[in-house]
Short mmCIF file of all heavy atoms in Angstrom, two decimals:
data_model
loop_
_atom_site.label_atom_id
_atom_site.label_comp_id
_atom_site.label_asym_id
_atom_site.label_seq_id
_atom_site.Cartn_x
_atom_site.Cartn_y
_atom_site.Cartn_z
N LYS A 335 83.01 164.41 170.02
CA LYS A 335 82.12 163.79 170.98
C LYS A 335 80.69 164.34 170.92
O LYS A 335 79.70 163.67 171.17
CB LYS A 335 82.70 163.81 172.36
CG LYS A 335 82.91 165.15 173.01
CD LYS A 335 83.46 165.07 174.35
CE LYS A 335 83.64 166.43 174.96
NZ LYS A 335 84.23 166.26 176.35
N ARG A 336 80.58 165.61 170.55
CA ARG A 336 79.18 166.20 170.47
C ARG A 336 78.44 165.57 169.39
O ARG A 336 77.22 165.33 169.50
CB ARG A 336 79.25 167.71 170.27
CG ARG A 336 77.92 168.37 170.34
CD ARG A 336 77.93 169.87 170.03
NE ARG A 336 78.34 170.17 168.74
CZ ARG A 336 79.33 170.85 168.39
NH1 ARG A 336 80.21 171.36 169.34
NH2 ARG A 336 79.71 171.15 167.08
N CYS A 337 79.06 165.24 168.29
CA CYS A 337 78.41 164.60 167.12
C CYS A 337 77.96 163.17 167.51
O CYS A 337 76.94 162.73 167.19
CB CYS A 337 79.31 164.52 165.94
SG CYS A 337 79.64 166.21 165.24
N SER A 338 78.89 162.47 168.29
CA SER A 338 78.46 161.16 168.74
C SER A 338 77.20 161.19 169.68
O SER A 338 76.31 160.36 169.56
CB SER A 338 79.64 160.49 169.55
OG SER A 338 80.71 160.14 168.64
N MET A 339 77.22 162.21 170.52
CA MET A 339 76.05 162.42 171.35
C MET A 339 74.76 162.63 170.53
O MET A 339 73.70 162.09 170.79
CB MET A 339 76.25 163.66 172.30
CG MET A 339 75.07 164.04 173.17
SD MET A 339 73.73 164.99 172.33
CE MET A 339 74.63 166.51 171.93
N CYS A 340 74.98 163.43 169.52
CA CYS A 340 73.81 163.78 168.63
C CYS A 340 73.32 162.58 167.89
O CYS A 340 72.08 162.36 167.84
CB CYS A 340 74.27 164.88 167.63
SG CYS A 340 72.93 165.52 166.62
N PHE A 341 74.19 161.78 167.32
CA PHE A 341 73.81 160.54 166.67
C PHE A 341 73.16 159.57 167.65
O PHE A 341 72.08 159.02 167.32
CB PHE A 341 74.98 159.82 166.03
CG PHE A 341 75.60 160.65 164.85
CD1 PHE A 341 77.10 160.72 164.77
CD2 PHE A 341 74.94 161.35 163.98
CE1 PHE A 341 77.66 161.42 163.75
CE2 PHE A 341 75.52 162.11 162.94
CZ PHE A 341 76.88 162.10 162.87
N ASP A 342 73.75 159.41 168.82
CA ASP A 342 73.22 158.55 169.86
C ASP A 342 71.71 158.90 170.18
O ASP A 342 70.86 158.07 170.20
CB ASP A 342 74.03 158.56 171.15
CG ASP A 342 75.35 157.78 170.97
OD1 ASP A 342 75.48 156.99 170.04
OD2 ASP A 342 76.21 158.05 171.83
N MET A 343 71.54 160.21 170.38
CA MET A 343 70.15 160.65 170.81
C MET A 343 69.17 160.35 169.71
O MET A 343 68.04 159.88 169.97
CB MET A 343 70.26 162.25 171.14
CG MET A 343 68.83 162.74 171.56
SD MET A 343 69.00 164.44 172.00
CE MET A 343 67.27 164.86 172.35
N ARG A 344 69.52 160.61 168.46
CA ARG A 344 68.54 160.52 167.36
C ARG A 344 68.34 158.98 167.07
O ARG A 344 67.22 158.55 166.78
CB ARG A 344 69.04 161.27 166.20
CG ARG A 344 68.92 162.72 166.37
CD ARG A 344 69.32 163.48 165.11
NE ARG A 344 70.77 163.55 164.92
CZ ARG A 344 71.33 163.92 163.76
NH1 ARG A 344 70.54 164.29 162.75
NH2 ARG A 344 72.64 163.99 163.67
N PHE A 345 69.42 158.19 167.13
CA PHE A 345 69.26 156.83 166.79
C PHE A 345 68.63 156.00 167.91
O PHE A 345 67.98 155.01 167.60
CB PHE A 345 70.58 156.14 166.41
CG PHE A 345 71.31 156.91 165.24
CD1 PHE A 345 72.66 156.71 164.95
CD2 PHE A 345 70.59 157.79 164.40
CE1 PHE A 345 73.24 157.46 163.92
CE2 PHE A 345 71.19 158.45 163.36
CZ PHE A 345 72.58 158.28 163.07
N GLU A 346 68.83 156.41 169.11
CA GLU A 346 68.10 155.71 170.24
C GLU A 346 66.68 155.90 170.02
O GLU A 346 65.91 154.86 170.18
CB GLU A 346 68.54 156.41 171.55
CG GLU A 346 69.94 156.00 172.05
CD GLU A 346 70.41 156.84 173.17
OE1 GLU A 346 69.72 157.68 173.65
OE2 GLU A 346 71.65 156.68 173.55
N ARG A 347 66.17 157.05 169.68
CA ARG A 347 64.70 157.20 169.46
C ARG A 347 64.30 156.47 168.24
O ARG A 347 63.17 155.86 168.17
CB ARG A 347 64.40 158.71 169.27
CG ARG A 347 62.96 159.10 169.18
CD ARG A 347 62.20 158.74 170.39
NE ARG A 347 62.63 159.61 171.55
CZ ARG A 347 62.08 160.79 171.85
NH1 ARG A 347 61.10 161.25 171.10
NH2 ARG A 347 62.54 161.39 172.87
N THR A 348 65.16 156.40 167.23
CA THR A 348 64.75 155.65 165.95
C THR A 348 64.63 154.15 166.34
O THR A 348 63.67 153.53 165.89
CB THR A 348 65.89 155.84 164.91
OG1 THR A 348 66.03 157.24 164.66
CG2 THR A 348 65.46 155.14 163.63
N ALA A 349 65.59 153.58 167.05
CA ALA A 349 65.55 152.21 167.39
C ALA A 349 64.34 151.79 168.30
O ALA A 349 63.74 150.81 168.07
CB ALA A 349 66.88 151.77 168.14
N LEU A 350 64.03 152.75 169.18
CA LEU A 350 62.87 152.54 170.06
C LEU A 350 61.60 152.48 169.24
O LEU A 350 60.70 151.55 169.41
CB LEU A 350 62.76 153.61 171.13
CG LEU A 350 61.51 153.58 171.99
CD1 LEU A 350 61.46 152.27 172.79
CD2 LEU A 350 61.50 154.85 172.88
N PHE A 351 61.42 153.41 168.29
CA PHE A 351 60.23 153.41 167.45
C PHE A 351 60.19 152.14 166.62
O PHE A 351 59.10 151.52 166.44
CB PHE A 351 60.22 154.68 166.58
CG PHE A 351 58.99 154.86 165.72
CD1 PHE A 351 57.99 155.63 166.28
CD2 PHE A 351 58.78 154.18 164.57
CE1 PHE A 351 56.76 155.82 165.54
CE2 PHE A 351 57.54 154.42 163.79
CZ PHE A 351 56.55 155.23 164.34
N ALA A 352 61.33 151.74 166.06
CA ALA A 352 61.41 150.53 165.23
C ALA A 352 60.96 149.31 166.13
O ALA A 352 60.20 148.47 165.65
CB ALA A 352 62.79 150.25 164.72
N HIS A 353 61.44 149.23 167.32
CA HIS A 353 61.01 148.14 168.22
C HIS A 353 59.57 148.07 168.54
O HIS A 353 58.93 147.05 168.46
CB HIS A 353 61.92 148.28 169.55
CG HIS A 353 61.44 147.35 170.60
ND1 HIS A 353 61.60 145.98 170.61
CD2 HIS A 353 60.76 147.72 171.83
CE1 HIS A 353 61.14 145.51 171.68
NE2 HIS A 353 60.57 146.45 172.45
N GLU A 354 59.03 149.28 168.74
CA GLU A 354 57.59 149.37 169.12
C GLU A 354 56.68 149.21 167.98
O GLU A 354 55.50 148.85 168.15
CB GLU A 354 57.35 150.69 169.78
CG GLU A 354 58.04 150.88 171.12
CD GLU A 354 57.76 152.22 171.73
OE1 GLU A 354 57.40 153.22 170.99
OE2 GLU A 354 57.93 152.34 173.01
N HIS A 355 57.19 149.31 166.71
CA HIS A 355 56.28 149.27 165.60
C HIS A 355 56.69 148.15 164.55
O HIS A 355 56.28 148.19 163.40
CB HIS A 355 56.27 150.60 164.83
CG HIS A 355 55.62 151.65 165.69
ND1 HIS A 355 56.31 152.34 166.69
CD2 HIS A 355 54.38 152.19 165.74
CE1 HIS A 355 55.47 153.25 167.25
NE2 HIS A 355 54.31 153.11 166.69
N GLY A 356 57.52 147.22 164.96
CA GLY A 356 57.74 146.03 164.16
C GLY A 356 58.69 146.23 162.95
O GLY A 356 58.59 145.40 161.96
N PHE A 357 59.63 147.18 163.05
CA PHE A 357 60.59 147.33 161.94
C PHE A 357 61.76 146.37 162.23
O PHE A 357 62.27 146.31 163.34
CB PHE A 357 61.08 148.78 161.83
CG PHE A 357 60.06 149.70 161.28
CD1 PHE A 357 59.17 150.37 162.08
CD2 PHE A 357 59.96 149.97 159.91
CE1 PHE A 357 58.16 151.23 161.61
CE2 PHE A 357 59.01 150.79 159.40
CZ PHE A 357 58.09 151.44 160.21
N GLN A 358 62.25 145.72 161.17
CA GLN A 358 63.29 144.85 161.30
C GLN A 358 64.73 145.49 161.25
O GLN A 358 65.69 145.04 161.85
CB GLN A 358 63.30 143.78 160.23
CG GLN A 358 62.00 142.99 160.22
CD GLN A 358 61.68 142.41 158.85
OE1 GLN A 358 61.29 143.13 157.87
NE2 GLN A 358 61.90 141.11 158.60
N TYR A 359 64.79 146.60 160.50
CA TYR A 359 66.07 147.27 160.32
C TYR A 359 65.88 148.77 160.46
O TYR A 359 64.82 149.37 160.23
CB TYR A 359 66.54 147.05 158.85
CG TYR A 359 66.82 145.62 158.54
CD1 TYR A 359 65.82 144.81 157.94
CD2 TYR A 359 68.08 145.06 158.76
CE1 TYR A 359 66.09 143.46 157.61
CE2 TYR A 359 68.31 143.71 158.41
CZ TYR A 359 67.33 142.90 157.92
OH TYR A 359 67.56 141.67 157.62
N ILE A 360 66.94 149.37 160.98
CA ILE A 360 67.11 150.85 161.00
C ILE A 360 68.38 151.24 160.32
O ILE A 360 69.32 150.43 160.33
CB ILE A 360 67.06 151.43 162.45
CG1 ILE A 360 68.28 150.99 163.22
CG2 ILE A 360 65.81 151.10 163.14
CD1 ILE A 360 68.52 151.74 164.50
N THR A 361 68.38 152.35 159.72
CA THR A 361 69.57 152.93 159.15
C THR A 361 69.39 154.43 159.07
O THR A 361 68.31 154.99 159.48
CB THR A 361 69.96 152.33 157.80
OG1 THR A 361 71.27 152.71 157.46
CG2 THR A 361 69.00 152.76 156.72
N THR A 362 70.37 155.16 158.62
CA THR A 362 70.24 156.64 158.61
C THR A 362 70.91 157.33 157.33
O THR A 362 71.84 156.85 156.83
CB THR A 362 70.94 157.23 159.83
OG1 THR A 362 70.92 158.68 159.80
CG2 THR A 362 72.41 156.73 159.96
N THR A 363 70.27 158.42 156.93
CA THR A 363 70.81 159.14 155.84
C THR A 363 72.08 159.89 156.24
O THR A 363 72.84 160.33 155.36
CB THR A 363 69.82 160.22 155.39
OG1 THR A 363 69.48 161.10 156.43
CG2 THR A 363 68.54 159.58 154.81
N ASN A 364 72.37 160.03 157.51
CA ASN A 364 73.73 160.65 157.95
C ASN A 364 74.89 159.83 157.40
O ASN A 364 75.93 160.39 157.19
CB ASN A 364 73.77 160.62 159.45
CG ASN A 364 72.90 161.71 160.08
OD1 ASN A 364 72.09 161.36 160.89
ND2 ASN A 364 73.10 162.92 159.74
N ALA A 365 74.64 158.51 157.05
CA ALA A 365 75.69 157.72 156.56
C ALA A 365 76.03 157.98 155.07
O ALA A 365 77.04 157.54 154.60
CB ALA A 365 75.31 156.22 156.73
N THR A 366 75.17 158.77 154.43
CA THR A 366 75.46 159.08 152.99
C THR A 366 76.38 160.27 152.79
O THR A 366 76.97 160.41 151.73
CB THR A 366 74.12 159.38 152.25
OG1 THR A 366 73.68 160.71 152.66
CG2 THR A 366 73.04 158.36 152.53
N SER A 367 76.47 161.09 153.85
CA SER A 367 77.31 162.36 153.72
C SER A 367 78.72 162.13 154.01
O SER A 367 79.12 161.60 155.07
CB SER A 367 76.64 163.37 154.64
OG SER A 367 77.50 164.58 154.61
N ARG A 368 79.58 162.62 153.12
CA ARG A 368 81.03 162.52 153.34
C ARG A 368 81.43 163.54 154.44
O ARG A 368 82.61 163.52 154.85
CB ARG A 368 81.74 162.78 152.00
CG ARG A 368 81.65 161.59 151.04
CD ARG A 368 82.26 161.95 149.74
NE ARG A 368 82.21 160.74 148.86
CZ ARG A 368 82.47 160.80 147.50
NH1 ARG A 368 82.79 161.98 146.95
NH2 ARG A 368 82.46 159.67 146.84
N TRP A 369 80.60 164.48 154.74
CA TRP A 369 80.85 165.42 155.81
C TRP A 369 80.79 164.76 157.18
O TRP A 369 81.26 165.29 158.17
CB TRP A 369 79.93 166.59 155.79
CG TRP A 369 80.05 167.39 154.53
CD1 TRP A 369 79.26 167.42 153.51
CD2 TRP A 369 81.14 168.33 154.23
NE1 TRP A 369 79.76 168.25 152.54
CE2 TRP A 369 80.88 168.83 152.98
CE3 TRP A 369 82.29 168.75 154.95
CZ2 TRP A 369 81.75 169.79 152.34
CZ3 TRP A 369 83.10 169.63 154.35
CH2 TRP A 369 82.86 170.17 153.08
N LYS A 370 80.25 163.52 157.18
CA LYS A 370 80.17 162.73 158.40
C LYS A 370 81.23 161.58 158.38
O LYS A 370 81.55 161.08 157.32
CB LYS A 370 78.75 162.14 158.61
CG LYS A 370 77.63 163.19 158.56
CD LYS A 370 77.83 164.13 159.69
CE LYS A 370 76.80 165.27 159.64
NZ LYS A 370 77.19 166.38 160.62
N ASP A 371 81.65 161.18 159.51
CA ASP A 371 82.56 160.05 159.66
C ASP A 371 81.67 158.81 159.69
O ASP A 371 80.92 158.61 160.70
CB ASP A 371 83.35 160.18 160.99
CG ASP A 371 84.34 159.06 161.20
OD1 ASP A 371 84.05 157.93 160.70
OD2 ASP A 371 85.33 159.19 161.89
N ALA A 372 81.70 158.00 158.64
CA ALA A 372 80.83 156.79 158.58
C ALA A 372 81.01 155.93 159.74
O ALA A 372 79.99 155.32 160.21
CB ALA A 372 81.04 156.10 157.22
N ASP A 373 82.24 155.67 160.19
CA ASP A 373 82.46 154.80 161.36
C ASP A 373 81.78 155.33 162.54
O ASP A 373 81.16 154.57 163.37
CB ASP A 373 83.93 154.61 161.55
CG ASP A 373 84.61 153.80 160.47
OD1 ASP A 373 83.94 153.10 159.74
OD2 ASP A 373 85.90 153.95 160.30
N GLN A 374 81.81 156.68 162.76
CA GLN A 374 81.19 157.27 163.94
C GLN A 374 79.67 157.13 163.86
O GLN A 374 79.02 156.76 164.86
CB GLN A 374 81.58 158.76 164.01
CG GLN A 374 81.06 159.46 165.20
CD GLN A 374 81.42 160.90 165.18
OE1 GLN A 374 81.57 161.54 164.13
NE2 GLN A 374 81.65 161.52 166.37
N VAL A 375 79.12 157.40 162.69
CA VAL A 375 77.66 157.24 162.47
C VAL A 375 77.23 155.79 162.74
O VAL A 375 76.24 155.51 163.47
CB VAL A 375 77.30 157.66 161.05
CG1 VAL A 375 75.82 157.33 160.75
CG2 VAL A 375 77.51 159.19 160.84
N ASN A 376 77.92 154.88 162.14
CA ASN A 376 77.54 153.52 162.23
C ASN A 376 77.71 152.94 163.61
O ASN A 376 76.86 152.07 164.11
CB ASN A 376 78.40 152.65 161.29
CG ASN A 376 78.05 152.92 159.77
OD1 ASN A 376 76.89 153.24 159.48
ND2 ASN A 376 78.99 152.74 158.95
N ALA A 377 78.72 153.46 164.38
CA ALA A 377 78.92 152.97 165.80
C ALA A 377 77.66 153.35 166.63
O ALA A 377 77.21 152.58 167.43
CB ALA A 377 80.15 153.54 166.34
N SER A 378 77.15 154.60 166.41
CA SER A 378 75.99 155.06 167.16
C SER A 378 74.74 154.19 166.72
O SER A 378 73.94 153.84 167.59
CB SER A 378 75.75 156.53 166.85
OG SER A 378 76.65 157.35 167.48
N GLY A 379 74.63 153.93 165.43
CA GLY A 379 73.54 153.12 165.00
C GLY A 379 73.53 151.70 165.60
O GLY A 379 72.47 151.18 166.01
N GLU A 380 74.70 151.10 165.65
CA GLU A 380 74.81 149.77 166.14
C GLU A 380 74.56 149.78 167.71
O GLU A 380 73.94 148.82 168.18
CB GLU A 380 76.19 149.23 165.87
CG GLU A 380 76.36 148.90 164.39
CD GLU A 380 77.81 148.57 164.01
OE1 GLU A 380 78.72 148.96 164.77
OE2 GLU A 380 78.00 147.87 162.98
N ARG A 381 75.05 150.79 168.40
CA ARG A 381 74.72 150.88 169.86
C ARG A 381 73.25 150.95 170.13
O ARG A 381 72.72 150.34 171.00
CB ARG A 381 75.43 152.11 170.42
CG ARG A 381 76.87 151.89 170.74
CD ARG A 381 77.38 153.01 171.68
NE ARG A 381 77.33 154.35 171.08
CZ ARG A 381 78.26 154.89 170.35
NH1 ARG A 381 79.39 154.21 170.02
NH2 ARG A 381 78.20 156.09 169.83
N ALA A 382 72.52 151.81 169.32
CA ALA A 382 71.06 151.97 169.51
C ALA A 382 70.32 150.67 169.22
O ALA A 382 69.45 150.30 169.95
CB ALA A 382 70.63 153.09 168.62
N ALA A 383 70.71 150.03 168.11
CA ALA A 383 69.99 148.75 167.75
C ALA A 383 70.20 147.64 168.75
O ALA A 383 69.41 146.77 168.88
CB ALA A 383 70.26 148.42 166.29
N ALA A 384 71.42 147.65 169.30
CA ALA A 384 71.75 146.55 170.20
C ALA A 384 70.88 146.42 171.38
O ALA A 384 70.81 145.37 172.04
CB ALA A 384 73.24 146.71 170.65
N LYS A 385 70.18 147.54 171.72
CA LYS A 385 69.25 147.46 172.86
C LYS A 385 67.95 146.62 172.64
O LYS A 385 67.25 146.24 173.59
CB LYS A 385 68.85 148.83 173.21
CG LYS A 385 69.99 149.73 173.64
CD LYS A 385 69.56 151.13 173.96
CE LYS A 385 70.70 152.04 174.40
NZ LYS A 385 70.30 153.43 174.68
N TYR A 386 67.73 146.36 171.34
CA TYR A 386 66.47 145.61 171.01
C TYR A 386 66.84 144.40 170.12
O TYR A 386 67.26 144.54 168.95
CB TYR A 386 65.55 146.53 170.23
CG TYR A 386 65.31 147.83 171.03
CD1 TYR A 386 65.96 149.02 170.66
CD2 TYR A 386 64.46 147.83 172.15
CE1 TYR A 386 65.80 150.14 171.36
CE2 TYR A 386 64.27 149.02 172.88
CZ TYR A 386 64.87 150.17 172.43
OH TYR A 386 64.75 151.35 173.15
N PRO A 387 66.64 143.12 170.58
CA PRO A 387 67.02 141.98 169.82
C PRO A 387 66.27 141.86 168.44
O PRO A 387 66.84 141.25 167.51
CB PRO A 387 66.58 140.85 170.77
CG PRO A 387 66.62 141.38 172.13
CD PRO A 387 66.16 142.82 171.93
N SER A 388 65.20 142.52 168.36
CA SER A 388 64.44 142.42 167.10
C SER A 388 64.81 143.42 166.04
O SER A 388 64.27 143.32 164.87
CB SER A 388 62.87 142.55 167.39
OG SER A 388 62.63 143.84 167.97
N VAL A 389 65.72 144.28 166.44
CA VAL A 389 66.12 145.45 165.49
C VAL A 389 67.55 145.31 165.16
O VAL A 389 68.40 145.07 166.01
CB VAL A 389 65.83 146.77 166.13
CG1 VAL A 389 66.28 147.90 165.21
CG2 VAL A 389 64.34 146.92 166.47
N GLU A 390 67.83 145.47 163.92
CA GLU A 390 69.25 145.43 163.39
C GLU A 390 69.57 146.72 162.67
O GLU A 390 68.81 147.26 161.91
CB GLU A 390 69.45 144.22 162.38
CG GLU A 390 70.89 144.05 161.87
CD GLU A 390 71.00 142.84 161.04
OE1 GLU A 390 70.20 141.94 161.01
OE2 GLU A 390 72.02 142.83 160.24
N TYR A 391 70.79 147.20 162.95
CA TYR A 391 71.29 148.33 162.22
C TYR A 391 71.92 147.93 160.92
O TYR A 391 72.78 147.09 160.89
CB TYR A 391 72.31 149.16 163.09
CG TYR A 391 72.91 150.39 162.28
CD1 TYR A 391 72.05 151.49 162.20
CD2 TYR A 391 74.15 150.35 161.74
CE1 TYR A 391 72.59 152.62 161.54
CE2 TYR A 391 74.64 151.41 161.07
CZ TYR A 391 73.83 152.50 160.96
OH TYR A 391 74.29 153.66 160.27
N TRP A 392 71.43 148.54 159.84
CA TRP A 392 71.85 148.19 158.52
C TRP A 392 73.02 149.04 158.14
O TRP A 392 72.89 150.23 157.87
CB TRP A 392 70.67 148.29 157.52
CG TRP A 392 71.00 148.04 156.11
CD1 TRP A 392 72.14 147.41 155.62
CD2 TRP A 392 70.22 148.36 154.94
NE1 TRP A 392 72.03 147.33 154.23
CE2 TRP A 392 70.87 147.92 153.87
CE3 TRP A 392 69.02 149.00 154.78
CZ2 TRP A 392 70.37 148.09 152.54
CZ3 TRP A 392 68.50 149.21 153.52
CH2 TRP A 392 69.16 148.71 152.42
N LYS A 393 74.22 148.52 158.09
CA LYS A 393 75.41 149.20 157.78
C LYS A 393 75.81 148.91 156.30
O LYS A 393 75.87 147.75 155.95
CB LYS A 393 76.55 148.82 158.69
CG LYS A 393 77.83 149.61 158.44
CD LYS A 393 78.85 149.44 159.61
CE LYS A 393 79.39 148.05 159.69
NZ LYS A 393 80.51 147.90 160.62
#
Side-chain angles (χ1 to χ4, degrees):
K335 61 181 181 179
R336 187 182 66 239
C337 291
S338 289
M339 175 281 295
C340 186
F341 296 141
D342 285 343
M343 181 176 177
R344 290 185 284 168
F345 302 164
E346 286 166 6
R347 186 64 66 91
T348 305
L350 174 60
F351 189 93
H353 169 69
E354 293 179 339
H355 294 82
F357 288 89
Q358 301 155 287
Y359 298 91
I360 63 169
T361 192
T362 176
T363 59
N364 287 121
T366 71
S367 174
R368 288 173 175 168
W369 295 104
K370 303 302 177 190
D371 182 334
D373 290 337
Q374 183 182 33
V375 171
N376 291 331
S378 287
E380 290 171 338
R381 280 195 297 272
K385 298 179 180 180
Y386 308 102
S388 61
V389 178
E390 181 178 343
Y391 178 74
W392 178 15
K393 183 168 67 173

